Amino acid sequence: MLTTSAITSMYSPTRSRNFFLHLLRKSTTVSHLTQTHAQIILNGFQNDLSTVTKLTHRLFDLKATSSSPSQTPISSSSTSSSKPDNFTYAFAIASASTLSDEKVGILLHQHAVVDGYGLDLFVGTAVVDFYLKFWRVDMARKVFDKMSVRDTVSWNSMISGLVRNCCFDDAVWVLGDMLKDGGIRLDSTTVAAVLPALAELQELILGMEVQCLALKLGFHSYLHVLTGLISLYSKCGEIEAAKLLFGEIGRPDLVSYNAMISGYTSNGESECSVKLFRQLLGYGERVNSSTIVGLIPVFHPFRYLNLTTCIHSFCVKSGIISQSSVSTALTTVYSRLNKINSARLLFDESSEKTPASWNAMISGYTQNGLTEAAISLFQEMQISKVSPNLVTVTSILSACAQLGALSLGKWVHGLIKSKNFESNIYVSTALIDMYAKCGGIREALELFDLMVGKNVVTWNAMISGYGLHGQGQDALRLFSEMSHSGVAPNGITFLSLLYACSHAGLVKEGEETFQSMIHDYHFEPLPEHYACMVDILGRAGQLEKALKFIKEMPVEPGAAEWGALLGACVIHKDKKLAQVASERLFELDPENVGYHVLLSNLYSAERNYRLAASVRHDVKRRNLAKIPGCALIEIGETPHVFTSGDRSHPQASAIYAVLEELIRKMKEAGFQTETDTALHDVEEEEKELMINVHSEKLAIAFGIIATEPGTEIRIFKNLRVCVDCHTATKFISKITERVIVVRDATRFHHFKDGLCSCGDYW
């Protein structure tokens, strides 16, 4: 603690820099710092870099800026005879970037602008770096673009900051702008900064051009450049090239080892990564958290559960498990291995829960289909005052899309706007996907049209959205636009197109798309592509052609293809061909109860109750569990879930009364209950009662009770909607004069005035 004598002794005019640095280190209150600051000015050290930097750091350490705006380093300087210069502002803003709250840095930026340093090179670079550390990419870009003078350091700050914010495309564009500016010379930091962006984008050709540039400029052999190139080639699947680059390093440091270990792991060569890890330990090197994260098989976890548990044990024994990056990586792997309880236990035991930790667990729930748990954890994250970042919002938007939680999705959209995340391509793409899968295809298109830069995932999301809503021609039109935009399609693009053709009855267009994928774009079809083609032909009633297509496949047909054929046989009631498909399916995927249900329904529709009963008996004998059907409807921000015959809802009596009245009006309008697929061993009247209380009918009845007349009703069904419910919903839309949107397991149905958007083709 400073003493009175120590303070008074400062009045001697002969004090040195070290004297003031010592006093600043010993300062424990803002009052001490204020007195010391005054003496620093009196003794002529107000422009001394080390002294001013230490003063700024100590002011922030003591939270001098949190109690009152008048206590900032800038205002403290202003009360003295000396006015802060550009260096003072630059160091102060740099210090502010280490705080948890962005308000201090914004205030300092405002002071700098007022004092005329807003466009200064040093201040501008510090401000750019500050905003990028707080995920404010838009503000960083505005400041950077307005800077009249920019040097290599400022360009590097912009590139590395964009990479940290996952704005990889933007980082590459900035490099391009830097190269166009002839007066700026690249250095090794520039190359090292942009290589991670190229690696994440898997832009190998562009990465090789940057490598050539590094060779030309003479810093290809720099350790941090070689390390970045190892990561680039590894992430682009060129592990042999990465090994050659690693061999060029005479004495690899730990960072280089980490890059190579991670490279092996990310390419599914965990055996090699373990070998290199053991070599590192054998040299007596002390590994760090990055080493372990690189060793954990995050990208190829399957077959490596034992390895994961061994790594987990090593981390516990060595104490590295306390590092949040390590526990987060392990949480991710356990989630991907469907060991969700192990993942949650690790998450709960983590002493430090970073945004990445929350993201890993939320994403794990989402990937395992546990969307309600993901949403619940996101809400817990909000209560814990942990600020969501780009990864958080993309994960939770995915959960909203799966569950059909439109209200929460809209709330997240508002959060994205408040945090200025909309400019991020991954966030915008996730929003498009969420709106499309929650029934808001118009909102999805509006967002899509507003986007300036679109990658292949963005185009795929919109094409897939059109397919879900049965708008096949729109999907094909958008693909044509995509082709002219210069964005190359991938396998998912063609899968989305084929799916769209299937649900719109576009047989000719589907066949042309499939052939173009193979011959024009040189894609090897996956089982999913073949299955879509079978579905296209089968839905159109061309069952023999579909069977011929399966038999002529260049690869052995699997459950996906035969399953698509069986589904088509059920639609068109082809019992003979269904028997052929089901026999193959029971061999290929004997535990899948869905195929048994389809076959049983076909027999029931044909009134062959003996065979239907035989299939159901086989299901019971083998303890195969059928997924229970359920329907979800959101009223306000509250989801309501119904199952068939459900009476647990607080308003059950009113729901059943409304449903009974609806059925009466429907029958007056000519509706007849479809009971063919109901159990055969009950009376016809009982069959009708069973069908009438299916989950979606209950959800619609509740929607009529809970919303104003004329309000659109949106229902989300986990299984394919049955024929009876589909017909009933058409009648209800006519009787109630409502638009009813139903998303089932395969697509959206928009009911209006007694008609469905699918044209009874689903």
Side-chain angles (χ1 to χ4, degrees):
M1 181 180 290
L2 287 175
T3 63
T4 304
S5 59
I7 295 172
T8 54
S9 68
M10 291 191 299
Y11 287 91
S12 169
T14 60
R15 299 301 176 188
S16 67
R17 172 203 289 170
N18 288 337
F19 173 78
F20 288 112
L21 291 176
H22 173 74
L23 284 178
L24 289 170
R25 282 195 295 271
K26 294 289 185 178
S27 297
T28 56
T29 67
V30 175
S31 176
H32 291 163
L33 287 176
T34 304
Q35 293 177 64
T36 306
H37 188 190
Q39 291 305 311
I40 286 170
I41 295 169
L42 288 173
N43 282 270
F45 287 101
Q46 69 270 20
N47 293 320
D48 181 76
L49 193 59
S50 299
T51 307
V52 172
T53 302
K54 188 63 181 177
L55 171 62
T56 306
H57 283 160
R58 290 301 293 141
L59 280 163
F60 282 114
D61 288 343
L62 296 176
K63 302 186 184 295
T65 58
S66 62
S67 58
S68 168
S70 65
Q71 290 183 317
T72 65
I74 304 306
S75 57
S76 296
S77 295
S78 299
T79 58
S80 305
S81 59
S82 177
K83 187 178 180 181
D85 61 11
N86 57 339
F87 294 108
T88 310
Y89 278 115
F91 282 112
I93 292 167
S95 297
S97 68
T98 64
L99 301 175
S100 59
D101 194 329
E102 64 182 16
K103 292 177 183 175
V104 173
I106 293 172
L107 180 63
L108 289 168
H109 182 202
Q110 291 167 347
H111 273 294
V113 172
V114 170
D115 284 350
Y117 296 117
L119 302 180
D120 177 81
L121 173 62
F122 301 106
V123 174
T125 302
V127 170
V128 166
D129 187 63
F130 162 77
Y131 280 123
L132 288 168
K133 283 178 178 174
F134 280 95
W135 303 81
R136 298 289 297 273
V137 176
D138 56 331
M139 287 298 298
R141 194 64 204 246
K142 284 179 183 177
V143 173
F144 184 77
D145 289 342
K146 287 180 179 178
M147 289 172 64
S148 55
V149 178
R150 292 178 292 204
D151 63 2
T152 303
V153 175
S154 55
W155 284 96
N156 290 351
S157 294
M158 192 69 205
I159 293 170
S160 60
L162 288 169
V163 172
R164 285 198 308 272
N165 281 267
C166 303
C167 300
F168 306 119
D169 289 294
D170 292 338
V172 176
W173 278 107
V174 170
L175 175 68
D177 292 340
M178 184 179 181
L179 291 170
K180 290 174 189 174
D181 191 332
I184 303 297
R185 181 176 177 82
L186 277 71
D187 61 12
S188 62
T189 303
T190 316
V191 173
V194 81
L195 283 173
L198 297 169
E200 291 297 331
L201 295 170
Q202 297 190 349
E203 288 279 3
L204 182 58
I205 302 300
L206 198 52
M208 292 170 75
E209 290 176 4
V210 171
Q211 183 181 11
C212 291
L213 192 60
L215 280 164
K216 182 180 177 181
L217 295 173
F219 40 76
H220 180 273
S221 60
Y222 287 20
L223 186 58
H224 59 295
V225 173
L226 281 172
T227 301
L229 288 168
I230 290 168
S231 294
L232 168 73
Y233 280 101
S234 297
K235 290 193 175 182
C236 291
E238 300 291 336
I239 193 64
E240 292 302 319
K243 284 165 66 177
L244 288 172
L245 287 165
F246 184 73
E248 286 185 24
I249 303 174
R251 292 174 62 87
D253 63 2
L254 184 58
V255 179
S256 304
Y257 266 105
N258 291 351
M260 196 65 238
I261 288 170
S262 178
Y264 279 130
T265 304
S266 63
N267 282 274
E269 297 188 20
S270 283
E271 291 79 6
C272 294
S273 64
V274 170
K275 184 179 178 181
L276 197 60
F277 177 72
R278 285 175 174 164
Q279 179 183 316
L280 190 60
L281 293 177
Y283 290 154
E285 288 284 347
R286 188 177 179 84
V287 300
N288 60 16
S289 58
S290 296
T291 319
I292 301 299
V293 170
L295 186 65
I296 296 169
V298 173
F299 301 104
H300 298 274
F302 307 105
R303 299 186 300 113
Y304 292 118
L305 178 58
N306 286 339
L307 173 61
T308 301
T309 54
C310 287
I311 295 171
H312 190 173
S313 298
F314 175 87
C315 294
V316 172
K317 290 177 182 177
S318 62
I320 295 181
I321 194 67
S322 62
Q323 298 289 320
S324 62
S325 59
V326 173
S327 59
T328 298
L330 286 168
T331 298
T332 302
V333 173
Y334 281 131
S335 297
R336 290 179 179 175
L337 289 168
N338 299 322
K339 300 292 181 182
I340 201 71
N341 290 334
S342 299
R344 184 57 195 255
L345 183 64
L346 190 58
F347 173 79
D348 289 339
E349 290 176 348
S350 299
S351 55
E352 181 191 2
K353 291 183 176 64
T354 63
S357 309
W358 289 92
N359 293 344
M361 198 64 242
I362 291 169
S363 177
Y365 277 135
T366 304
Q367 291 163 5
N368 281 271
L370 302 170
T371 49
E372 291 184 39
I375 290 170
S376 176
L377 190 63
F378 173 68
Q379 291 166 339
E380 190 180 322
M381 180 183 183
Q382 295 291 98
I383 294 168
S384 300
K385 304 296 182 186
V386 178
S387 182
N389 58 25
L390 297 167
V391 179
T392 318
V393 295
T394 52
S395 294
I396 205 65
L397 284 172
S398 176
C400 292
Q402 288 181 40
L403 192 61
L406 181 61
S407 295
L408 179 61
K410 286 182 175 179
W411 183 87
V412 175
H413 191 180
L415 179 70
I416 288 165
K417 287 179 179 178
S418 71
K419 289 185 170 289
N420 297 296
F421 286 168
E422 282 184 302
S423 60
N424 184 275
I425 192 170
Y426 301 102
V427 172
S428 295
T429 300
L431 276 170
I432 290 167
D433 186 60
M434 184 276 294
Y435 276 114
K437 288 178 178 174
C438 288
I441 193 67
R442 288 190 302 274
E443 293 94 331
L445 183 59
E446 286 171 8
L447 284 168
F448 180 83
D449 288 340
L450 286 172
M451 288 182 67
V452 178
K454 302 179 181 79
N455 62 17
V456 65
V457 183
T458 312
W459 289 95
N460 289 350
M462 197 63 227
I463 291 170
S464 174
Y466 276 137
L468 271 174
H469 290 265
Q471 298 173 222
Q473 291 291 357
D474 288 320
L476 291 167
R477 174 189 53 77
L478 197 63
F479 175 67
S480 177
E481 288 181 24
M482 177 184 179
S483 301
H484 288 105
S485 76
V487 177
N490 59 18
I492 295 173
T493 313
F494 289 107
L495 187 62
S496 300
L497 281 170
L498 292 171
Y499 181 92
C501 290
S502 172
H503 287 274
L506 303 175
V507 179
K508 179 174 174 289
E509 292 86 346
E511 289 180 315
E512 289 173 352
T513 299
F514 187 79
Q515 293 302 321
S516 176
M517 176 182 74
I518 297 169
H519 301 296
D520 298 335
Y521 292 92
H522 309 292
F523 275 101
E524 190 71 30
L526 296 173
E528 294 83 358
H529 297 103
Y530 286 116
C532 261
M533 270 311 301
V534 174
D535 195 51
I536 288 171
L537 297 169
R539 282 179 187 273
Q542 300 180 26
L543 298 176
E544 290 298 332
K545 190 173 180 179
L547 179 62
K548 184 173 181 287
F549 178 87
I550 289 174
K551 289 181 176 179
E552 292 178 355
M553 281 172 55
V555 295
E556 186 68 25
E561 294 82 8
W562 289 109
L565 182 61
L566 177 60
C569 290
V570 172
I571 292 170
H572 297 287
K573 296 182 170 58
D574 191 321
K575 186 173 64 176
K576 183 179 177 182
L577 202 52
Q579 189 66 42
V580 174
S582 62
E583 284 175 3
R584 291 294 297 121
L585 284 166
F586 295 161
E587 291 175 12
L588 293 166
D589 193 3
E591 301 303 312
N592 192 322
V593 70
Y595 302 135
H596 293 79
V597 172
L598 281 174
L599 188 60
S600 172
N601 286 346
L602 174 60
Y603 287 144
S604 293
E606 292 286 300
R607 298 190 179 277
N608 192 333
Y609 297 125
R610 182 182 62 80
L611 287 176
S614 174
V615 174
R616 292 177 191 269
H617 176 73
D618 188 48
V619 168
K620 287 182 180 178
R621 180 179 60 80
R622 299 175 59 198
N623 293 318
L624 300 179
K626 179 181 179 293
I627 298 171
C630 65
L632 177 145
I633 180 172
E634 274 193 319
I635 302 298
E637 296 182 1
T638 306
H640 299 262
V641 180
F642 294 87
T643 56
S644 184
D646 193 351
R647 289 187 177 271
S648 63
H649 196 278
Q651 293 180 259
S653 297
I655 291 167
Y656 275 83
V658 167
L659 187 56
E660 188 177 332
E661 179 64 15
L662 283 172
I663 291 169
R664 184 186 65 77
K665 290 180 179 179
M666 285 158 54
K667 286 185 175 180
E668 288 176 359
F671 172 74
Q672 289 185 322
T673 304
E674 170 66 58
T675 61
D676 284 346
T677 59
L679 294 171
H680 70 279
D681 52 353
V682 296
E683 296 298 325
E684 194 67 25
E685 185 178 346
E686 193 175 341
K687 287 182 185 180
E688 192 170 318
L689 288 172
M690 292 166 61
I691 297 291
N692 285 343
V693 293
H694 275 185
S695 59
E696 51 265 61
K697 291 194 183 86
L698 295 174
I700 291 169
F702 177 62
I704 291 169
I705 294 171
T707 60
E708 293 294 324
T711 305
E712 181 179 284
I713 295 173
R714 294 192 184 195
I715 307 294
F716 297 88
K717 170 86 175 180
N718 67 329
L719 303 177
R720 182 178 180 270
V721 65
C722 71
V723 174
D724 182 78
C725 287
H726 189 269
T727 305
T729 309
K730 288 195 292 183
F731 274 88
I732 295 170
S733 71
K734 179 78 171 178
I735 292 165
T736 62
E737 298 181 348
R738 298 243 198 172
V739 173
I740 302 173
V741 180
V742 178
R743 188 186 90 179
D744 69 4
T746 59
R747 60 163 295 159
F748 273 93
H749 302 262
H750 296 257
F751 298 90
K752 184 180 180 181
D753 296 328
L755 299 173
C756 180
S757 61
C758 73
D760 297 339
Y761 189 89
W762 87 101

